[in-house]
Amino acid sequence: MAYKRILTVQDVSCLGQCSLTVALPVLSACGHETCIIPSAVLSTHTGGSFSGYTFRDLTEDIPAICRHWQSQGVSFDAVYAGYLGSRKQAAYVRQICETLLRPGGKIVVDPAMGDNGVLYAGLDGAYAAAIAGLCAGADVILPNITEACLMTGLPYREDYGEDYIQDLLSALLDLGARSVILTGVSYEPGSTGVVACKEGESRLYRHPRIPRMFHGTGDVYASAFVGAWLQGRELFEAAKIAADFTVASIGQTLDDEEHWYGVKFELALPGLIEALKE
Ligand code: PXL
C-alpha cells in the first residue's frame, strides 16, 4: 500500500458530516497520513435548514502555520483543497503548493461552492473566480455541474445532453486543470454518475440515482477519490471507487428521515477499505 502524506485545507463544520470531519476519517481509512489546515470553523455547515451558524475565518492563521512547517522542513505528497473560508485562501493554497509540495506532488481541488444552480450561503462570484484560478494549477478538479458553471460562466441547466457536458468539460480544462471529474451527471431519470476526463478521453461511470437530496456527498466523493487515487489507482478506477462509496454512504442513510444534514459514510468505510484491497 502507498502511504502518502496529504495536506487537506478545508473547513471544520463542527456538526454536519462534511469537509474535514469527512476528509480525515476517509483518508485515514484509505491508509494515508492526513495533515490539515482548517480554513474556518463553523458550528454547522451552511446548507439545508441550519440557520444562525457561527463562522470563524482562519485565513490569517495560514501564513504562520506554513512558515512553521517550512522551518521544520515539512513537505507533502499531495495538497487537497476543499471549501475555503475566504478568497484570499486560494492564493495561500497556491503558495503552499509552491513551497510545501514535494517534487511530483499532486494537487487536487474540490471547488466546493454550490449546488442546484446556486452558491452556498456567504460565497460570491469573486470567490468562484478565485477558486477557478486555483483550479488552473491542479492535477485533478472535482466540480459538480453547478460549480462548473459558476467557475466557467456557462449557463446552469437541469435538462441537458452529452453536448452540454462536453462543453462544460472543455471549459473546465481551459481553466488549466490536467484532469476533471464532473459529478452529478445524469442523462436519464433513474441514474446519475460521474464523468472523468483525462488526456482527451472522457468516461461516464453511471450508478443508481437516489431521489433524495443529501448534503456533504461531494466531500465524501472527493475524499474517497483522493484516497484511492493516491493509493495508485488509475483516475477512472479511483473515480469509480469513490462513486461506489458515495452511493453506499447514501444507502446507509436512506432509512433515516431525520438524518438530513449529511450521510452516514462511517458505515460504508469497511466497503471502501475492501475495494482498495482488490
Ligand atoms: O459540503 C460542502 C460544504 C463544506 N463546508 C461548508 C458548507 C458546505 C455546504 O453547504 O456549508 C461550510
Side-chain angles (χ1 to χ4, degrees):
M1 292 270 272
Y3 181 77
K4 303 286 187 189
R5 178 189 280 167
I6 302 169
L7 169 63
T8 184
V9 187
Q10 39 189 319
D11 68 280
V12 178
S13 284
C14 299
L15 181 152
Q17 280 172 318
C18 69
S19 309
L20 281 181
T21 63
V22 168
L24 264 171
V26 170
L27 292 172
S28 299
C30 293
H32 301 295
E33 175 186 356
T34 310
C35 308
I36 62 166
I37 294 183
S39 58
V41 177
L42 296 83
S43 51
T44 66
H45 64 61
T46 65
S49 43
F50 287 136
S51 62
Y53 47 82
T54 69
F55 186 106
R56 181 176 299 277
D57 178 10
L58 297 178
T59 303
E60 293 317 327
D61 289 36
I62 295 178
I65 293 172
C66 294
R67 275 197 303 275
H68 180 226
W69 283 347
Q70 268 187 292
S71 77
Q72 303 300 302
V74 170
S75 63
F76 298 99
D77 297 304
V79 172
Y80 157 33
Y83 180 106
L84 303 182
S86 71
R87 68 189 138 108
K88 197 168 174 190
Q89 289 190 15
Y92 285 155
V93 171
R94 270 210 300 273
Q95 281 170 22
I96 288 170
C97 295
E98 282 159 19
T99 53
L100 294 171
L101 199 56
R102 289 183 187 149
K106 302 294 182 199
I107 303 171
V108 179
V109 178
D110 174 8
M113 64 175 82
D115 220 341
N116 300 312
V118 289
L119 278 161
Y120 294 142
L123 304 181
D124 59 16
Y127 180 84
I131 301 299
L134 182 59
C135 288
D139 290 284
V140 184
I141 60 173
L142 302 108
N144 59 30
I145 292 179
T146 299
E147 292 155 350
C149 293
L150 290 166
M151 291 195 298
T152 62
L154 291 177
Y156 174 74
R157 292 209 201 132
E158 290 189 345
D159 284 322
Y160 50 78
E162 286 182 29
D163 288 352
Y164 176 68
I165 295 302
Q166 283 309 322
D167 288 348
L168 282 182
L169 289 171
S170 306
L172 288 164
L173 289 168
D174 285 347
L175 294 178
R178 285 223 175 118
S179 302
V180 175
I181 298 177
L182 186 60
T183 60
V185 176
S186 171
Y187 295 123
E188 73 250 331
S191 78
T192 186
V194 298
V195 180
C197 183
K198 161 182 127 172
E199 291 159 13
E201 186 191 356
S202 58
R203 287 193 211 164
L204 169 69
Y205 178 65
R206 206 186 302 245
H207 53 77
R209 180 184 193 145
I210 295 146
R212 197 177 129 194
M213 158 72 192
F214 288 95
H215 294 275
T217 50
D219 303 347
V220 169
Y221 183 83
S223 301
F225 169 80
V226 171
W229 189 54
L230 290 172
Q231 271 303 342
R233 297 310 170 106
E234 193 274 324
L235 185 99
F236 295 117
E237 173 68 6
K240 173 187 177 305
I241 289 172
D244 291 343
F245 174 59
T246 308
V247 173
S249 300
I250 294 171
Q252 293 287 353
T253 320
L254 266 181
D255 63 353
D256 187 348
E257 287 295 329
E258 283 171 27
H259 202 98
W260 59 267
Y261 52 85
V263 290
K264 300 182 184 179
F265 69 93
E266 303 86 351
L267 303 176
L269 284 173
L272 176 62
I273 293 167
E274 272 311 301
L276 289 174
K277 283 187 195 152
E278 283 164 16

